[in-house]
Amino acid sequence: MSVLPGPRREPRGTVRVVDPSPLNWLYITYNTVEEPVRVTRRGKVRPAAMSRYRWRDSTTLEIKVRSDNRFADGTPLTADSVRRAAEEQFRWESPHPPGTHFNIDRRSRVEVVDDRTVRLHLPAVDGLALGKLRATHVMSERFWRDLGFGYARDESGEGHW
Amino acid sequence: MIDAPGPWASGAFTLVEGHSRIDTEPVVIDGEDRTWLQTEDRSPTVRLHANRHYWDRRRGPRLAEVEFRNDLDRDRALDMVCDSVGEVDIVTEVPHAQAERVRRSRHARLVTVDAVRALAGVIDRDADGLPLADVRARRALNLAVDRAALVRDAFGGLARPLAGLTPPTLLTVAHRAPGRLRPYQHDPAEAARLWRLTGGSSRPVRLAALEPWAAVATFVAAQWREALGIEVQVSVVPVDRERETRRRLAAKEPREWDVLLLEQGSQSVDVPPLELHRAFVGRSGEFRAGPVDPTFERLFADLVAQTSQLRQVVAANRIDRYVTEQALALFLVAPKVLYAVNRDVDFDPYATSFELADTSVRDGHWSLR
C-alpha cells in the first residue's frame, strides 16, 4: 500500500451541525488550528504540525516541523512558528482554560536549530510535555499581530488559549 | 480559542464567520495551580471553510463548508435531524434517553463512540458526620452499586462499567494491564459489612449530580439505601448553579453535598491521569474534595518523570490501581457519546473531541443537489 498522498479530493458539500457541548470553543479551535501534535480518532497523540520528535535527553524535546506546511493565508509554517507559539504561551501564568496542569514550564527555553528543527529545553523533566503540545496552537504571524489569544479583546492571554 | 474569523492557522478548516469562545474566571486550587470557570459566548452561526493548503490530503478536508447552528436548542435540533433534510446534519451529545428515537428516525442514524470520559462521583473525604475518610466506607459505596444494571437501565446499554478512572477503550487496554483492573463487584453484603465496620453515619448522605446525571443519582441512591440501609438525600444541581458548584469545589470551599456525580474527559489516551486521576485526587485537582494524598502525589510525580511511553503506561497503571484500591472516587461508567447523523453524511467520531476533517457527504446529500 502506498504511503504517498493521492491527488487531493476536492472538498464538496456542506454539513450543518448543532453541538451542545460546552467544549465547542475548543472543537472550533481543533478544526481550524494545528498544534505540533494532534489526537487520532481513537485518542492517541500523533505528530501534526511536526513530522517527528525525539527526546535528546530527559529535558530536551526535539521537534522536526513539516516541510510542506502552510497557514491558510499562504505563509509557511516553520520552526520559528513553533518557537513563537511556545514563547507566546510562556508569557502567561495560566493560559489554558482547563487549568495550569496543561502548562509547559514557563522557564523553558526554545531553540530554533534550523528552519525545520526546534528544541524545547525544559528546566526539569516533564514526560507529559509531548501531550501538552496539543495545547500549543501554532499560528500565523498575522494572527499574533492582529488578534492573538485574547490579546486584541482583553489585552491578556490568561485563560484564553 | 479563536475570537474572530480569519486565515489564522493551518488546520483542516478556516473560520470564516462568527465565533465560539468562552469568558473565563480563574479559581485558585492550590498555590499556583489554577483552573478557569467557563461561560460560553457563541454567535448564532459559526462557519468554517475548507483550508485548501492543509497538508494531510488523505485526511481531508472533504467538506467544503461546515455550518455550526447555535440558534437551535438540542431538542429542536434532534427534531430536525430526525424528521427533515437540509436543516441539521449532525447533532452531538445526544442524551442516552433519546437514542431510540434517533434509531427509529427515517433521516438520521445513531453513531456512537467509546469516548475517553468517566462518569464518577467526587467523594468528600472531609465530610462531617460521615466516615468517608475511611477507605472501608468509600469501598462500601462502590460495592453497593450494580454497574451492569446501571448501564442497562440508565444508559440503554450505551456505556461501559468503569474500573478505576481510566475509561476502557481499545487503546487503554495497556493502561489497565497488567493485573487488569476489574470494576468493583456488586456485593451488597460486603458493602454493608464494611459500612458497619466504619461506625456508619450520623446523618443522611447527600448525593448530588449535575443535571444530565439526575437519573443516575436516583439509581445510585436507591442502591445505597438498599445495600447499606442508610438515608440518602438526592439533589440535582441545576444548570444555572453548575458554575458556582464547580467554583466552590475547585476553591475547596464548604460543599452542599457529600458525593457529587460529574463527567470528566481526557484529551488523549496516552496519559489519562493528567486529566482524570489528577482532577479527582491530585493536589492541583479541580475536583479534589479532601486532603492531599502524599502517595498519589508521589505516583503522579513518577509519571511526570517518564519520557518513555511504555514507562508512562506502567506509571499510569500504578496510579489507576492506587486510586481504585483506595476508592478515591465513586467509579460508575464510561458513557458512550452519541451522535444523530444524517444518512447521507459519512461521519466517524473521535474518542476525545469533535473533528470533521475526514467527514464527507454522499452523492445524494442535500447540499450537492
Side-chain angles (χ1 to χ4, degrees):
Chain A
M1 190 178 75
S2 170
V3 296
L4 296 173
R8 183 187 290 277
R9 280 181 285 190
E10 196 62 23
R12 63 174 198 164
T14 296
V15 297
R16 293 183 170 146
V17 177
V18 174
D19 176 28
S21 168
L23 293 177
N24 180 260
W25 63 272
L26 182 60
Y27 301 155
I28 296 296
T29 305
Y30 284 160
N31 276 286
T32 59
V33 174
E34 277 192 299
E35 295 75 29
V37 300
R38 70 178 182 92
V39 175
T40 64
R41 187 181 305 288
R42 287 183 173 171
K44 189 83 181 145
V45 170
R46 281 284 181 268
M50 71 182 188
S51 57
R52 62 184 189 272
Y53 74 94
R54 66 169 175 146
W55 286 98
R56 287 178 62 86
D57 56 51
S58 64
T59 59
T60 306
L61 182 61
E62 182 173 281
I63 292 169
K64 287 284 186 185
V65 178
R66 290 187 185 283
S67 60
D68 53 352
N69 207 352
R70 288 184 177 275
F71 294 107
D73 66 1
T75 57
L77 190 161
T78 65
D80 201 57
S81 310
V82 175
R83 175 202 60 77
R84 178 111 194 232
E87 291 183 349
E88 289 285 346
Q89 189 178 193
F90 297 155
R91 293 173 59 192
W92 312 104
E93 290 182 356
S94 181
H96 306 294
T100 39
H101 55 280
F102 271 111
N103 283 11
I104 295 173
D105 196 314
R106 301 176 70 188
R107 297 169 297 168
S108 302
R109 183 171 60 84
V110 190
E111 175 192 5
V112 175
V113 178
D114 58 41
D115 201 37
R116 297 289 158 208
T117 311
V118 186
R119 286 183 194 146
L120 189 58
H121 299 277
L122 302 165
V125 61
D126 180 1
L128 309 186
L130 183 70
K132 292 177 182 179
L133 288 175
R134 174 65 158 161
T136 301
H137 311 306
V138 184
M139 311 302 289
S140 68
E141 286 300 313
R142 187 170 161 183
F143 174 84
W144 298 118
R145 185 190 69 210
D146 294 348
L147 192 66
F149 289 115
Y151 304 177
R153 184 168 174 253
D154 305 324
E155 298 182 339
S156 170
E158 294 291 1
H160 209 89
W161 276 61
Chain B
M1 76 194 78
I2 309 299
D3 286 341
W8 309 125
S10 59
F13 296 95
T14 299
L15 177 63
V16 298
E17 178 187 342
H19 65 265
S20 176
R21 60 191 175 218
I22 48 175
D23 293 321
T24 55
E25 174 194 337
V27 183
V28 176
I29 298 169
D30 184 279
E32 295 182 351
D33 291 319
R34 285 165 175 70
T35 188
W36 294 85
L37 301 175
Q38 304 175 8
T39 304
E40 286 197 272
D41 171 14
R42 303 192 201 182
S43 56
T45 301
V46 171
R47 197 176 307 279
L48 313 181
H49 280 177
N51 173 15
R52 290 162 198 269
H53 290 294
Y54 187 57
W55 65 271
D56 192 348
R57 297 177 177 194
R58 283 190 297 175
R59 185 169 182 240
R62 301 176 186 185
L63 294 169
E65 181 179 90
V66 179
E67 179 184 321
F68 284 85
R69 294 192 60 178
N70 299 322
D71 58 330
L72 297 172
D73 66 26
R74 177 159 43 197
D75 289 344
R76 182 80 181 111
L78 273 173
D79 287 345
M80 287 180 164
V81 72
C82 288
D83 301 335
S84 69
V85 168
E87 295 291 337
V88 175
D89 291 291
I90 300 175
V91 179
T92 72
E93 309 286 339
V94 173
H96 290 74
Q98 299 285 340
E100 193 51 36
R101 188 253 170 109
V102 179
R103 283 198 188 102
R104 290 198 313 268
S105 162
R106 179 178 164 199
H107 298 295
R109 63 195 169 94
L110 185 72
V111 176
T112 70
V113 64
D114 287 340
V116 189
R117 298 187 190 181
L119 172 60
V122 177
I123 298 176
D124 184 353
R125 289 174 284 130
D126 283 335
D128 284 338
L130 296 177
L132 302 181
D134 188 327
V135 64
R136 295 172 300 182
R138 301 192 300 270
R139 286 176 182 156
L141 295 180
N142 274 287
L143 288 164
V145 176
D146 183 346
R147 288 165 186 77
L150 178 62
V151 168
R152 183 184 66 232
D153 297 346
F155 292 90
L158 297 171
R160 296 142 294 152
L162 206 55
L165 284 171
T166 300
T169 77
L170 281 176
L171 293 185
T172 59
V173 168
H175 293 79
R176 291 175 288 118
R180 189 170 170 179
L181 282 176
R182 304 278 183 220
Y184 274 90
Q185 293 300 303
H186 181 219
D187 190 341
E190 176 65 3
R193 186 185 75 82
L194 289 175
W195 190 262
R196 279 196 304 272
L197 285 175
T198 68
S201 52
S202 59
R203 63 169 176 80
V205 175
R206 301 169 302 173
L207 173 62
L210 301 185
E211 201 162 278
W213 312 115
V216 176
T218 302
F219 179 96
V220 169
Q223 299 218 316
W224 284 353
R225 291 184 191 113
E226 184 175 335
L228 306 177
I230 59 175
E231 191 177 340
V232 184
Q233 295 174 348
V234 176
S235 64
V236 176
V237 179
V239 171
D240 62 359
R241 290 281 301 166
E242 180 175 332
R243 181 185 169 106
E244 176 61 9
T245 299
R246 288 182 181 274
R247 189 193 66 75
R248 293 171 71 90
L249 173 55
K252 313 308 172 204
E253 293 181 2
R255 295 167 280 269
E256 298 167 341
W257 45 265
D258 305 306
V259 178
L260 173 66
L261 306 186
L262 52 77
E263 185 186 59
Q264 171 76 347
S266 172
Q267 292 195 44
S268 80
V269 298
D270 294 66
V271 280
L274 176 62
E275 292 172 86
L276 289 163
H277 307 70
R278 180 206 56 77
F280 280 83
V281 185
R283 176 184 294 278
S284 67
E286 55 271 37
F287 307 148
R288 174 173 53 80
V292 172
D293 183 321
T295 303
F296 178 87
E297 295 305 311
R298 180 176 56 74
L299 292 171
F300 194 81
D302 182 55
L303 171 66
V304 172
Q306 308 304 327
T307 54
S308 144
Q309 290 196 3
L310 179 61
R311 287 180 179 167
Q312 286 182 351
V313 166
V314 172
N317 176 265
R318 283 197 198 105
I319 290 172
D320 206 22
R321 184 168 305 285
Y322 177 74
V323 167
T324 304
E325 288 172 355
Q326 292 298 310
L328 290 166
L330 177 69
F331 313 105
L332 293 176
V333 300
K336 288 178 183 276
V337 175
L338 315 184
Y339 300 83
V341 181
N342 177 277
R343 292 182 182 276
D344 285 323
V345 174
D346 284 323
F347 168 73
D348 199 356
Y350 283 65
T352 63
S353 67
F354 177 63
E355 296 182 51
L356 293 161
D358 38 15
T359 293
S360 61
V361 292
R362 298 176 188 167
D363 288 342
H365 189 257
W366 64 266
S367 69
L368 300 180
R369 290 175 196 158

